Amino acid sequence: MPSSYFIQDVTAFVKGYMPEAIWEIKKDYTILYLNERNKSVCFIGNQGLDNMHLLNHRFYITEFAWQKNKEASKSRLSSLMGLTHRIHARQCTLSRIDKITAKNFINENHTMGYAASYYHYGLFLKNELAAVACFSKGRRMNRLPPGKKSFELIRFCNKNFHTVIGGLSKLIHLFEKEYSPGDIMTYVDIAWGQPNAYYALGFVLDKVTPSIALHDIMPDGEVIEYRNKGNYKLIKHLV
């Protein structure tokens, strides 16, 4: 089951906001029921990660992610509870940012950390980064007409404990304006829940990819191996 430290840490954090939250302890995982918000969050211990792809819950937070980036994990849990500080994108300014700035922001504010990207954009509130989106180089695809390329949205995240309302839309629209992509595709981890925010932006479901074997390295050097839940592959067609 999840380590006592993990459960105690999560419980202490949640009780500060929702003392009425209900916990159910299982062999390899713990389920947190957020009754007032009609949600349940499944916390998977490191020893139970290989069973994650067999479970059927809407939201997941893993022990290794909590250990690797506790603040980003707390921020994600706060978002699921509807308790982040809300900012409107119209309050922000938008610009290209350099790779180092984007990498530092993503590593601090995204539970999965930075992944190699080519184009980086940021939303600023009073000269402070509030959200970042990272895109790949363009690729030629048979599904697109000559001269048009497909780009991948590789990472997007808000500043910890903040939600920029309309932020992803604003970042994508600027990218579309500057590069006129034939389409934009992205992957959403099934463990993060349904990708409704992407559907609202014009993305459609292309396919659901199956669970695959992954590994991650903990701060102490321990290698964690597990199977994920799979991903939603989404495409926004622009031609």
Side-chain angles (χ1 to χ4, degrees), residues 167-182:
L168 179 58
S169 175
K170 192 167 184 176
L171 289 160
I172 288 176
H173 285 162
L174 178 61
F175 183 78
E176 292 172 358
K177 180 180 178 181
E178 291 193 344
Y179 293 99
S180 299

Side-chain angles (χ1 to χ4, degrees), residues 7 9-23 31-41 43 74 76-84:
I7 296 303
D9 211 22
V10 173
T11 301
F13 176 70
V14 172
K15 281 189 174 181
Y17 296 101
M18 299 185 64
E20 75 284 5
I22 299 173
W23 298 86
I31 307 172
L32 164 64
Y33 294 98
L34 308 175
N35 290 337
E36 289 187 358
R37 293 164 176 80
N38 194 30
K39 295 179 181 178
S40 66
V41 183
F43 295 86
K74 286 181 177 181
R76 173 159 146 62
L77 184 52
S78 295
S79 180
L80 293 176
M81 293 189 291
L83 296 172
T84 54

Side-chain angles (χ1 to χ4, degrees), residues 2-15 17 23 32 41-46 49 60-78 80-81 110-112 161 216 218-219:
S3 69
S4 58
Y5 165 77
F6 177 45
I7 296 303
Q8 290 171 4
D9 211 22
V10 173
T11 301
F13 176 70
V14 172
K15 281 189 174 181
Y17 296 101
W23 298 86
L32 164 64
V41 183
C42 186
F43 295 86
I44 305 291
N46 289 341
L49 282 170
Y60 296 81
I61 291 179
T62 62
E63 183 174 2
F64 85 81
W66 190 272
Q67 293 171 328
K68 191 171 182 179
N69 192 333
K70 185 184 297 186
E71 290 306 299
S73 296
K74 286 181 177 181
S75 177
R76 173 159 146 62
L77 184 52
S78 295
L80 293 176
M81 293 189 291
H110 195 294
T111 56
M112 294 177 64
F161 305 105
D216 212 317
M218 299 302 298

Side-chain angles (χ1 to χ4, degrees), residues 153-167:
L153 171 62
I154 294 176
R155 286 286 187 268
F156 167 75
C157 73
N158 297 288
K159 180 181 177 181
N160 283 339
F161 305 105
H162 292 72
T163 299
V164 182
I165 302 169

Side-chain angles (χ1 to χ4, degrees), residues 128-161:
E128 185 175 348
L129 264 178
V132 164
C134 305
F135 298 85
S136 72
K137 288 183 177 181
R139 304 180 181 94
R140 292 185 177 88
M141 295 290 180
N142 291 335
R143 64 176 178 262
L144 296 173
K148 287 293 184 180
K149 294 182 179 181
S150 175
F151 295 79
E152 181 179 353
L153 171 62
I154 294 176
R155 286 286 187 268
F156 167 75
C157 73
N158 297 288
K159 180 181 177 181
N160 283 339
F161 305 105

Side-chain angles (χ1 to χ4, degrees), residues 55-228:
L55 303 176
N56 187 26
H57 300 286
R58 185 173 180 187
F59 303 107
Y60 296 81
I61 291 179
T62 62
E63 183 174 2
F64 85 81
W66 190 272
Q67 293 171 328
K68 191 171 182 179
N69 192 333
K70 185 184 297 186
E71 290 306 299
S73 296
K74 286 181 177 181
S75 177
R76 173 159 146 62
L77 184 52
S78 295
S79 180
L80 293 176
M81 293 189 291
L83 296 172
T84 54
H85 179 63
R86 295 162 71 87
I87 302 168
H88 289 277
R90 63 176 178 270
Q91 300 173 264
C92 301
T93 57
L94 176 61
S95 69
R96 290 279 293 272
I97 59 176
D98 62 77
K99 178 181 177 179
I100 293 176
T101 300
K103 185 175 182 179
N104 289 338
F105 185 89
I106 295 290
N107 282 338
E108 182 178 353
N109 297 283
H110 195 294
T111 56
M112 294 177 64
Y114 181 78
S117 311
Y118 194 76
Y119 302 101
H120 309 88
Y121 290 83
L123 277 170
F124 291 82
L125 179 65
K126 298 179 180 179
N127 297 318
E128 185 175 348
L129 264 178
V132 164
C134 305
F135 298 85
S136 72
K137 288 183 177 181
R139 304 180 181 94
R140 292 185 177 88
M141 295 290 180
N142 291 335
R143 64 176 178 262
L144 296 173
K148 287 293 184 180
K149 294 182 179 181
S150 175
F151 295 79
E152 181 179 353
L153 171 62
I154 294 176
R155 286 286 187 268
F156 167 75
C157 73
N158 297 288
K159 180 181 177 181
N160 283 339
F161 305 105
H162 292 72
T163 299
V164 182
I165 302 169
L168 179 58
S169 175
K170 192 167 184 176
L171 289 160
I172 288 176
H173 285 162
L174 178 61
F175 183 78
E176 292 172 358
K177 180 180 178 181
E178 291 193 344
Y179 293 99
S180 299
D183 65 40
I184 299 173
M185 56 84 63
T186 194
Y187 291 94
V188 176
D189 192 333
I190 292 174
W192 285 70
Q194 293 291 321
N196 296 329
Y198 290 89
Y199 295 149
L201 297 179
F203 286 82
V204 296
L205 179 65
D206 180 68
K207 64 180 179 180
V208 178
T209 64
S211 167
I212 60 173
L214 298 172
H215 73 274
D216 212 317
I217 301 175
M218 299 302 298
D220 63 2
E222 179 186 4
V223 177
I224 301 295
E225 298 181 353
Y226 63 101
R227 298 192 66 84
N228 73 351

